[in-house]
Amino acid sequence: MAAPRNDEERARLYAAAMRLFGEKGYIATSYQDIADACDTSKSVVQHYYPRKEMLLALFLDKHFDWVREMACKLSPPHADIMQTLCMMLFIHFGKLLADEKGSPLIRDLLSFRTFIEGLVMRERDWLIERLPDSFDQRAVGDSLVVALNGAYGLLSIASLEGRSITPEYVMRLAFVPFAMSMGADTQHVEEVIKECSLLQEAR
């Protein structure tokens, strides 16, 4: 019979894992490292998190909760779904770019395709849940997958080449084609990106 799970212990293990991921990276951190940091056994860590990917998924969920909360605070009252998504992506890419050089965890996220796929699916699913019925959900979701994969690919390559890029640059390359697939005209998309950029700078 499995031992009961304790919420405080689960949170303590998660906090230790996040600290180690931030110091060493996700790949280099083992179950044993997390156990040692909490003065417990590897089996205890595995009891709460049977797969290490569960820790990463929880991190991504918390990250996107924060992104959505920030986007709602910064978006103007008249914001539509496209403007809200644009703001979310600005905040998200801004956070990734700001943390990339100093965080082994973020470098791992941008270097491994399976991690990127998790990021993309979470963003796609968020959008599809909120699309009006008049949109082709499959087509819009697929367009966002193409846009996000392109954006993450750019971030990864720029990092490998030692280039610095801005969230606005990423958005102009990735978000404009996606927004146009939703029926937005180029001028409106440019205005949305500019507005999001200014709101980001002001926060």
Side-chain angles (χ1 to χ4, degrees):
M1 184 175 181
R5 290 185 169 90
N6 177 284
D7 289 342
E8 288 185 9
E9 181 71 355
R10 184 193 300 275
R12 188 171 76 97
L13 294 170
Y14 173 78
M18 288 303 105
R19 179 175 57 77
L20 290 168
F21 292 168
E23 293 170 359
K24 301 171 58 173
Y26 173 81
I27 299 298
T29 299
S30 67
Y31 271 126
Q32 191 61 56
D33 293 330
I34 299 168
D36 291 345
C38 292
D39 194 26
T40 189
S41 68
K42 178 179 172 181
S43 62
V44 167
V45 183
Q46 290 174 316
H47 173 68
Y48 285 91
Y49 300 99
R51 300 186 318 279
K52 198 170 77 162
E53 292 87 351
M54 293 171 68
L55 290 158
L56 186 63
L58 184 55
F59 165 75
L60 293 176
D61 286 343
K62 289 176 180 292
H63 168 72
F64 281 124
D65 284 345
W66 173 80
V67 166
R68 291 162 192 155
E69 182 180 343
M70 290 300 298
C72 289
K73 286 181 181 177
L74 292 174
S75 295
H78 62 272
D80 59 19
I81 185 71
M82 187 182 70
Q83 291 168 306
T84 303
L85 182 62
C86 181
M87 181 60 78
M88 285 176 59
L89 292 173
F90 249 106
I91 294 167
H92 175 54
F93 289 133
K95 179 69 172 168
L96 290 182
L97 288 165
D99 290 350
E100 176 197 358
K101 290 182 174 58
S103 171
L105 172 57
I106 300 303
R107 288 199 297 272
D108 279 354
L109 278 173
L110 294 176
S111 299
F112 293 90
R113 294 303 307 173
T114 53
F115 297 165
I116 290 174
E117 287 165 8
L119 290 169
V120 170
M121 286 190 292
R122 278 172 171 76
E123 285 296 282
R124 181 203 60 192
D125 293 347
W126 180 90
L127 174 67
I128 288 175
E129 287 173 6
R130 289 159 177 81
L131 279 177
D133 293 337
S134 57
F135 284 96
D136 182 338
Q137 294 186 345
R138 174 69 62 84
V140 173
D142 287 348
S143 295
L144 184 60
V145 167
V146 171
L148 288 172
N149 272 294
Y152 289 124
L154 173 61
L155 265 60
S156 296
I157 289 172
S159 177
L160 288 172
E161 294 177 346
R163 286 194 290 138
S164 293
I165 56 177
T166 65
E168 187 168 352
Y169 179 71
V170 176
M171 292 294 288
R172 289 187 186 283
L173 292 175
F175 187 74
V176 171
F178 162 72
M180 291 176 68
S181 78
M182 291 181 69
D185 64 79
T186 307
Q187 182 178 351
H188 178 56
V189 178
E190 288 288 344
E191 289 171 358
V192 169
I193 289 176
K194 185 176 181 180
E195 182 179 32
C196 288
S197 181
L198 290 172
L199 288 168
Q200 270 277 89
E201 290 173 5
R203 75 184 175 105

